[in-house]
Amino acid sequence: MLITDSQRTALQTLIELTANGRALQFEHDNPKRAEELKELVARHKELGERRTEAAAVVEGHQQAIDEATRLIEAQRSKIEKKTAELNDGTGLTSRDMVNLQEEIAGHEARISELEESQLDEMEKLEAAEGELAAVDDRIAEVTASGKEVQTAVKDRKAELRKRIAENESAASGPRSEMPQQLLTAFDANVRQGGPGAALLTGPNCQACGQEIGGAVWHGMLGADANETYECEECEAVLLRRS
């Protein structure tokens, strides 16, 4: 199909706008920072699991401390009771008093053991709380980074949607100048994933790379520069570069 100079200009403009629109759409569908966001989400999940483990360790030490406190109080209650019996002395033999004193000493020894154990648990608790706080700080950092990237991706997508709309609007003028038959072929190739049309710079289709036969190519060279063709392989509209 032979087209006019203005239609040739419109077709060249449409080729550029179509390529630009495809690039914009690709970036919109595949954000440049999407992988970074994915990694941050995975990192946040991993840290969440670590926090659960760290919190369980903290809780375990706290429970051990609470249990030691309960046992210490129980031992002290027994000491108080035995001391009262010893001080009262009613009906007690010398042997009974010795036994009470030994029981009291045993309870006091047990308290010492429990307090030592409790002190050890307190030291472990302090370390565990430090680890938990460190995980919380890292979670906060990853969360802040995730929000920043998420906002950036969202804003960029909004910008791209605007540019895509502007690109489509800009294409409406050149499209209106194209012959309907040519425009139909152009759109069909775009739907198949092609560029719609391509400018020939040599004996190969610039859309799919298919080699153009020597005789056909020489025929194109001898024809009007505004003559359009259709690639036999990909059906893209072809126009020889003038």
Side-chain angles (χ1 to χ4, degrees), residues 10 33 35 37 40 49 58 64 93 106 108 110 112 115 119 145-147 152 169 171 175 188 193 196 198 218:
R33 301 187 70 182
E35 189 60 31
L37 183 59
L40 285 168
E49 293 172 351
V58 168
T93 65
E108 289 174 343
R110 179 56 177 155
S112 295
E115 287 177 338
L119 180 60
S145 296
K147 288 181 179 179
S169 178
R175 287 180 65 84
H218 286 298

Side-chain angles (χ1 to χ4, degrees), residues 7 12 66 73 95 110 125 129 147 151 200 206:
Q7 288 173 334
Q12 291 175 319
D66 293 342
E73 289 302 319
R95 186 55 189 167
R110 179 56 177 155
L125 174 62
E129 287 177 334
K147 288 181 179 179
T151 298
L200 295 176
Q206 300 301 301

Side-chain angles (χ1 to χ4, degrees), residues 199-219:
L199 294 177
L200 295 176
T201 58
N204 291 88
C205 172
Q206 300 301 301
C208 69
Q210 174 72 19
E211 183 178 0
I212 298 172
V216 174
W217 173 243
H218 286 298

Side-chain angles (χ1 to χ4, degrees), residues 80-117:
E80 184 178 349
K81 180 180 178 182
K82 297 300 180 181
T83 300
E85 291 179 15
L86 182 61
N87 291 336
D88 180 75
T90 303
L92 296 178
T93 65
S94 297
R95 186 55 189 167
D96 291 335
M97 290 183 180
V98 171
N99 288 339
L100 284 172
Q101 289 172 344
E102 289 178 349
E103 286 186 43
I104 291 171
H107 292 313
E108 289 174 343
R110 179 56 177 155
I111 288 176
S112 295
E113 292 175 2
L114 289 168
E115 287 177 338
E116 184 176 348
S117 174

Side-chain angles (χ1 to χ4, degrees), residues 8 13 15 24 34 36 41 64 66 107 119 165 171 180 182 187 236:
R8 177 189 181 88
T13 300
I15 291 173
L24 292 172
E36 181 182 355
V41 170
D66 293 342
H107 292 313
L119 180 60
Q180 186 56 51
L182 205 62
D187 290 342

Side-chain angles (χ1 to χ4, degrees), residues 3-193:
I3 58 177
T4 65
D5 288 340
S6 63
Q7 288 173 334
R8 177 189 181 88
T9 299
L11 179 56
Q12 291 175 319
T13 300
L14 193 56
I15 291 173
E16 294 174 1
L17 290 173
T18 300
N20 184 56
R22 177 168 293 173
L24 292 172
Q25 188 64 53
F26 180 83
E27 184 182 348
H28 177 275
D29 297 340
N30 304 275
K32 293 180 179 179
R33 301 187 70 182
E35 189 60 31
E36 181 182 355
L37 183 59
K38 182 179 178 181
E39 290 176 359
L40 285 168
V41 170
R43 181 62 175 151
H44 190 278
K45 180 180 179 181
E46 177 188 340
L47 287 168
E49 293 172 351
R50 283 180 55 188
R51 190 191 188 286
T52 298
E53 295 172 359
V57 172
V58 168
E59 184 179 358
H61 289 310
Q62 187 61 63
Q63 288 177 348
I65 291 170
D66 293 342
E67 177 63 12
T69 299
R70 186 186 69 77
L71 293 174
I72 288 170
E73 289 302 319
Q75 292 296 317
R76 285 175 176 164
S77 295
K78 291 177 180 179
I79 289 173
E80 184 178 349
K81 180 180 178 182
K82 297 300 180 181
T83 300
E85 291 179 15
L86 182 61
N87 291 336
D88 180 75
T90 303
L92 296 178
T93 65
S94 297
R95 186 55 189 167
D96 291 335
M97 290 183 180
V98 171
N99 288 339
L100 284 172
Q101 289 172 344
E102 289 178 349
E103 286 186 43
I104 291 171
H107 292 313
E108 289 174 343
R110 179 56 177 155
I111 288 176
S112 295
E113 292 175 2
L114 289 168
E115 287 177 338
E116 184 176 348
S117 174
Q118 189 177 54
L119 180 60
D120 182 57
E121 287 292 338
M122 286 178 176
E123 292 175 351
K124 291 179 180 178
L125 174 62
E126 183 177 1
E129 287 177 334
E131 292 180 10
L132 178 59
V135 173
D136 282 338
D137 288 343
R138 186 65 187 126
I139 287 175
E141 292 174 3
V142 171
T143 299
S145 296
K147 288 181 179 179
E148 184 274 322
V149 174
Q150 191 174 44
T151 298
V153 169
K154 181 180 178 181
D155 291 346
R156 179 59 177 165
K157 279 195 169 189
E159 179 187 353
L160 288 168
R161 284 194 294 271
K162 179 180 178 181
R163 291 178 60 183
I164 289 170
E166 291 172 348
N167 192 80
E168 291 176 350
S169 178
S172 62
R175 287 180 65 84
S176 66
E177 295 186 41
M178 297 273 289
Q180 186 56 51
Q181 181 180 345
L182 205 62
L183 188 60
T184 298
F186 184 98
D187 290 342
N189 183 257
V190 169
R191 285 193 298 272
Q192 293 172 9

